[in-house]
């Protein structure tokens, strides 16, 4: 996986925007203004992704390239290293999981807005 395929995949999801709120070197993806993924544009070594706490620990135990989230809440975020040891399919699945965790936590009003965005894209 490279930074462009990562970026394109994140932006293909409904309601997603990209920005650099932490400076020009960190690319952040948000759904309905809630962050679900971020990475360094300089090195693209890893992607920080939100994860269910129990699953986060299981993934860390199973894969050396998945570690507690760098500069994030270590219980809820993983740093997923894109060093070639993880399949792109698994990384996309983890991006999906992060996105869905945020969508599930949205207030009803934002969920309705997101559904309208989804319907308009179809």
């Amino acid at each position: 996986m490279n930074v462009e395929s990562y970026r394109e995949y994140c932006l293909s999801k409904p309601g997603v925007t990209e920005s650099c709120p932490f400076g020009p070197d960190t690319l952040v993806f948000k759904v309905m203004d809630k962050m679900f993924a971020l990475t360094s544009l300089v090195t693209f070594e890893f992607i920080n992704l939100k994860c269910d706490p129990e699953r986060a620990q299981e993934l860390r135990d199973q894969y050396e390239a998945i570690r507690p989230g760098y500069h994030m809440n270590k219980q809820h975020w993983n740093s997923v290293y894109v060093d070639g040891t993880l399949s792109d399919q698994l990384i996309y699945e983890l991006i999906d999981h992060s996105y869905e965790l945020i969508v599930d936590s949205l207030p009803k009003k934002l969920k309705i807005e997101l559904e309208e965005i989804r319907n308009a894209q179809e």
Side-chain angles (χ1 to χ4, degrees), residues 74-92:
K74 311 252 183 275
Q75 185 177 1
H76 295 277
W77 289 83
N78 278 336
S79 290
V80 178
Y81 284 77
V82 287
D83 59 6
T85 61
L86 300 174
S87 70
D88 286 357
Q89 180 180 353
L90 176 60
I91 295 170
Y92 290 138

Side-chain angles (χ1 to χ4, degrees), residues 33-88:
D33 210 33
K34 299 283 187 183
M35 184 170 58
F36 73 94
L38 64 150
T39 193
S40 167
L41 284 170
V42 176
T43 60
F44 191 62
E45 285 182 80
F46 62 87
I47 305 165
N48 278 342
L49 297 169
K50 191 147 187 153
C51 192
D52 170 80
E54 190 174 301
R55 184 171 185 208
Q57 189 57 55
E58 290 172 5
L59 289 165
R60 293 172 200 163
D61 292 344
Q62 189 173 0
Y63 301 101
E64 190 174 316
I66 300 177
R67 302 178 196 153
Y70 181 73
H71 282 294
M72 305 296 283
N73 179 320
K74 311 252 183 275
Q75 185 177 1
H76 295 277
W77 289 83
N78 278 336
S79 290
V80 178
Y81 284 77
V82 287
D83 59 6
T85 61
L86 300 174
S87 70
D88 286 357

